[in-house]
Amino acid sequence: MTNHRIALIPGDGIGAEVLPPAQQVLDAVGRRHGFGFTYTAYDWSCERYLRDGAMMPKDGLDQLRDKDAILLGAVGYPGVPDHVSLWGLLIPIRRSFCQYVNLRPIHVFEGIDSPVRGAVAGEVDFVVVRENVEGEYSEIGGRLNRGFPEEMAVQEAVFTRAGVTRVLDYAFDLSAQRGGKVTSATKSNGIVHTMPFWDELVAERAAAHPTVTWDQEHIDALAAKFVLDPARFDVVVGSNLFGDILSDLAAAVAGSIGIAPAANLNPERKFPSMFEPVHGSAPDIAERGIANPLGAVWSAAMMLDHLGHPEAGKDVTDAIAAVLAKTDVRTPDLGGTASTAEFTEKLLELL
Ligand code: NAI
Ligand code: MG
C-alpha cells in the first residue's frame, strides 16, 4: 500500500484546530482508495519563537526535505510581529523548496451566500496563480537615516526571465487543461520596468501555448472586475504581491475566508510542496472549537491531487459541496452554530 509521508505544522491559534479534521478526512478517503499516510508533527510556531527565539530549529528545512508534502495550519500570535512569523517559517519553506507556484482555487458553493450579488453558485470557478518566490517580496533594499527627517526606505522588486517564465508556463498549461482562458495581472502603465517585462514574457509564453486564449488587465481594473463580474475568469496569473491581494479578494467574493485553500507547489517535485488554508490563526476565535475546518480540508484535497490521487481529491471536494448544499450544519462564520467537531463529523458522514 502506498504510504505518504506528511509533515504537519499546525502552527498557532486555530491552525491546531483545523489540521485534525483535515487528517481525519485524509485517513478516511485514503482507506477507501487504498493508500495511507504517516504523519510527523512539528511544533514550529510563534509560541515556539517566544520560548526558544526561533520559529523553527536551525535544521528545520532538512527535517522536511524527505517528506512527500507539508500540511500547515496557520501561524501568527499576538505580540509576535507578523514579519517574524512569515520570514521565520513560511517564506524560507517556500523559497528553499522552490515552491514558485501559489495556487488558490476560488469556487462559489451552493449554500454559501457571497457578499457579491453577481457571484452565483456554480458560475464562479477560477484559479489564482501567484508567483511565490520573487517579485515584490524581495530582500534587496534597506533603511537609511533612521529617526532623522530625511529617513528613507528602499525595496527592490526582482523579476527574472526564468522565474516569470516558469510561473506563466504553469498558468498556461493549467488553463489548457481546464479549457479556459488566462488573464494576466499587470500594471505596466505605472510601473515602468518590471511590468512591461512581465507583459513581454506573457506575450512570449502565450505564443508558445497557441491553443490558450488570454488577455491582460491592469491590477486596479482587475480588482474591480473580480467584484463586478467574477464569473468571467478562469486562470488569473499575477506577481507575488498582485497575486496575494487578488487571492484574498477572491476568497472574500467566494463567501468566506474560512473555506479558501492554497497550495505552494514545486511543480518539478524535487522538493515537498506545502498545502495550507488561506486564513490565519484567528486569535479572536482560537480555543473555542468553532473554527471552520473547510479551508484546511480543501487544502488537503489539493494535496491529494498533487500526490497523484485526483479521484480521492474529488471525493473530498464533493463532500465539501454536499455538506454546504444539502445540510444546514455550519460553523458560526457561515451563520451556523456547529462546532468544528460537529461540522467535521457531518462532512465525514457525507464523504
Ligand atoms: P485571520 O484569517 O486569522 O482572521 C480574519 C477573520 O476571519 C477573523 O475574524 C477570524 O475569526 C476569521 N476566520 C479566519 N479563519 C477562520 C476559520 N477557519 N473559521 C472561522 N473564522 C475564521 O486573519 P488576521 O486576523 O488578519 O490574522 C491573525 C493572525 O494570523 C496574524 O498574526 C496574521 O499574521 C496571521 N496570518 C497567518 C497566515 C498564515 O499562516 N498563512 C495568513 C494570514 C494571517
Ligand atoms: Mg495574503
Side-chain angles (χ1 to χ4, degrees), residues 14 18 46 72-78 80-83 85-86 90 94 104 248 256-259 276-286 290-296 331-334:
I14 66 165
V18 296
C46 292
L72 180 121
V75 288
Y77 198 69
V80 178
D82 288 341
H83 70 263
S85 44
L86 202 61
L90 294 182
R94 287 173 180 168
R104 296 189 176 184
D248 274 37
S256 170
I257 187 96
I259 297 179
E276 51 170 340
V278 168
H279 65 74
S281 57
D284 55 333
I285 59 160
I290 55 165
N292 185 342
L294 293 187
T331 42
D333 58 302
L334 299 177

Side-chain angles (χ1 to χ4, degrees), residues 172-194:
F172 276 98
D173 288 341
L174 182 63
S175 196
Q177 281 167 32
R178 293 168 55 99
K181 158 178 156 183
V182 169
T183 303
S184 163
T186 184
K187 191 62 192 169
S188 45
N189 55 352
I191 300 177
V192 296
H193 300 300
T194 54

